[in-house]
């Protein structure tokens, strides 16, 4: 029997983890470029912190990511792709151990039936070696790809330990954006929030405002990020920013307590606050471009 | 120019008086008449001292050194920050304009204890 994905997640002990994010401006996407656009969905998975140990926070640290992989494999409809938005592994000061954790993570997610999987680093993966071990395992830390008329941009704001994007990558972003139309649907993936969510807890990107300035002229932009281990929705102008849950431990709401610390495990609600995100890209308003031809086939 | 002995004694008394009325309470502190100089040592994953007390309206000169790697000092409540590079004194000068308790933290990722590398800056009367 094929079960509904929500039921499956409940059975897997990760109840209530899926929600659909409607991308802002999505109803406008059908016009213009999106002759290639079709309805689809993808998953955002984040902050699996493979290698973390702490039974008070997650007594199933070695099993949670595997449960999530099984849950994704049990989905009735497969996502077009999966994006991991960083902190794949928990940080370690030992370079060898970092590579070992990245390899173990890679082995676990290789069990995903969906093979179109993209990765980006978090500061736990890349902050101590400027992304060297991550690049060995997964390749570039910032890149773009296109899917069914949507332009996806992966911005690395963690490999620089100063939590900055850096001038070189900002220039790269500017160059890429200039190739897009102003109404191109754009989804940006980052690990840290680009805006100042809560700087007291280091929940920001030092030069994130520069990236937002570059994105602002574009009318259909959404930013999906991780880092804060909880859902959070915020607008900077017309740009929506959505943080995702993590897959190891939740963190408290911004500023809700004096110090940032993982939320303790709740035996009565195991896996609460952990999960992954489904993002549906739905084209709602179909518009038609009509052209007339004469009998000789010439456009008139 | 020869300075009369009496004038010299008077100048020393002024400096001593200024020092006595500015009680900063933190460690590694030396005082001038017009500024509060505070030395702060950073290392994974702590500051020493991690509680810094300064007086409102009096210029502050924080002198950071790092014993191991790049760290940061970020105090969003006062909108001040600096990088702390090893092998040099990293100076941050400001004049506190509001009283209160302001947390600070390392904002350059420095390892497994990074998120606990925090402290408190107290601005008092």
């Amino acid at each position: 029997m094929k079960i509904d994905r929500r039921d499956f997640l409940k059975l897997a002990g990760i109840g209530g983890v899926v929600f659909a994010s409607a991308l802002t401006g999505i109803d406008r996407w059908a016009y213009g470029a999106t002759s290639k656009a079709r309805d689809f969905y993808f998953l955002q998975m984040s902050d699996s912190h493979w290698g973390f140990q702490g039974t008070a926070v997650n007594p199933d640290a070695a099993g949670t990511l595997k449960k999530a992989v099984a849950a994704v494999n049990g989905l009735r409809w497969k996502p077009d792709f999966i994006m991991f938005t960083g902190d794949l592994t928990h940080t370690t000061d030992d370079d060898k151990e970092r590579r070992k954790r990245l390899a173990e993570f890679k082995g676990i997610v290789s069990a995903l039936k969906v093979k179109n999987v993209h990765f980006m680093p978090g500061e736990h993966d890349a902050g101590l070696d400027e992304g060297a071990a991550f690049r060995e395992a997964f390749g570039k830390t910032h890149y773009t790809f296109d899917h069914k008329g949507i332009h996806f941009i992966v911005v690395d704001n963690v490999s620089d330990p100063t939590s900055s994007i850096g001038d070189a990558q900002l220039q790269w972003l500017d160059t890429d954006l200039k190739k897009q139309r102003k109404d191109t649907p754009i989804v940006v993936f980052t690990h840290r929030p680009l805006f100042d969510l809560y700087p007291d807890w280091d929940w920001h990107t030092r030069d994130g405002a520069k990236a937002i300035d570059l994105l602002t002229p574009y009318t259909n932009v959404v930013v999906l990020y991780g880092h804060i281990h909880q859902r959070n929705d915020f607008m900077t102008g017309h740009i929506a920013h959505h943080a995702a849950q993590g897959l190891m431990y939740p963190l408290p709401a911004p500023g809700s307590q004096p110090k940032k610390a993982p939320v303790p495990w709740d035996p009565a609600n195991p896996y609460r606050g952990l999960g992954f995100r489904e993002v549906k890209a739905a084209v709602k308003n179909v518009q038609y471009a009509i052209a007339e031809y004469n009998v000789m086939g010439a456009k008139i | 120019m020869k300075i009369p002995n009496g004038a010299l004694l008077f100048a020393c008394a002024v400096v001593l008086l200024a020092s006595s009325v500015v009680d900063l309470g933190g460690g590694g502190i030396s005082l001038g008449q017009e500024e509060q100089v505070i030395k702060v040592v950073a290392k994974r994953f702590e500051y020493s001292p991690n509680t810094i007390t300064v007086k409102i309206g009096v210029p502050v000169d924080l002198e950071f050194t790092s014993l191991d790697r790049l760290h940061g000092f970020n105090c969003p409540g006062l909108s001040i920050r600096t990088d702390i590079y090893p092998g040099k004194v990293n100076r941050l000068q400001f004049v506190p304009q509001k009283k209160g308790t302001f947390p600070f933290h390392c904002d350059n990722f420095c390892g497994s204890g990074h998120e606990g590398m925090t402290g408190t800056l107290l601005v008092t009367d």
Side-chain angles (χ1 to χ4, degrees), chain A residues 145-175:
Chain A
F145 61 95
D146 293 278
H147 188 79
K148 295 183 177 176
I150 298 176
H151 189 57
F152 294 87
I153 306 175
V154 178
V155 172
D156 173 6
N157 54 1
V158 298
S159 294
D160 181 335
T162 66
S163 69
S164 300
I165 299 166
D167 290 343
Q169 192 183 173
L170 286 166
Q171 181 59 54
W172 166 85
L173 176 63
D174 187 37
T175 301

Side-chain angles (χ1 to χ4, degrees), chain B:
Chain B
M1 182 184 75
K2 187 174 180 182
I3 301 173
N5 286 343
L8 193 58
L9 285 171
F10 175 75
C12 290
V14 168
V15 171
L16 287 170
L17 180 62
S19 298
S20 66
V21 299
V22 182
D23 179 11
L24 299 178
I29 300 168
S30 63
L31 297 175
Q33 190 173 4
E34 294 295 332
E35 66 176 359
Q36 308 166 77
V37 180
I38 303 174
K39 298 180 189 300
V40 180
V41 177
K43 65 177 182 179
R44 297 187 311 167
F45 302 100
E46 61 186 34
Y47 300 94
S48 180
N50 66 358
T51 299
I52 302 169
T53 305
V54 297
K55 290 191 74 70
I56 189 168
V58 180
V60 176
D61 185 356
L62 297 179
E63 295 182 351
F64 294 98
T65 52
S66 168
L67 298 185
D68 41 39
R69 55 161 294 133
L70 173 66
H71 292 286
F73 171 90
N74 191 340
C75 184
L78 293 176
S79 300
I80 53 174
R81 77 158 308 280
T82 187
D83 293 314
I84 307 173
Y85 292 95
K88 61 178 280 193
V89 174
N90 306 265
R91 182 163 280 117
L92 178 62
Q93 296 171 310
F94 66 102
V95 180
Q97 301 289 355
K98 55 183 177 183
K99 286 191 300 182
T101 301
F102 304 97
F104 61 82
H105 62 273
C106 175
D107 64 355
N108 288 328
F109 188 76
C110 60
S112 56
H114 166 73
E115 290 171 2
M117 189 167 171
T118 60
T120 305
L121 202 156
L122 303 174
V123 181
T124 64
D125 279 327

Side-chain angles (χ1 to χ4, degrees), chain A residues 215-287:
Chain A
L215 291 164
T216 294
Y218 297 84
T219 55
N220 290 322
V221 179
V222 174
V223 181
L224 302 177
Y225 67 101
H227 191 54
I228 69 166
H229 298 210
Q230 63 193 286
R231 183 178 172 181
N232 186 283
D233 308 301
F234 190 84
M235 299 293 293
T236 57
H238 63 277
I239 299 175
H241 304 253
H242 302 291
Q245 300 174 99
L247 284 165
M248 184 56 80
Y249 52 83
L251 287 167
S256 59
Q257 56 189 56
K259 295 220 174 203
K260 178 179 62 176
V263 175
W265 181 264
D266 180 359
N269 296 285
Y271 306 98
R272 185 170 64 178
L274 306 180
F276 52 88
R277 160 179 287 166
E278 169 191 277
V279 183
K280 292 178 179 172
V283 178
K284 293 179 179 174
N285 297 331
V286 176
Q287 298 191 23

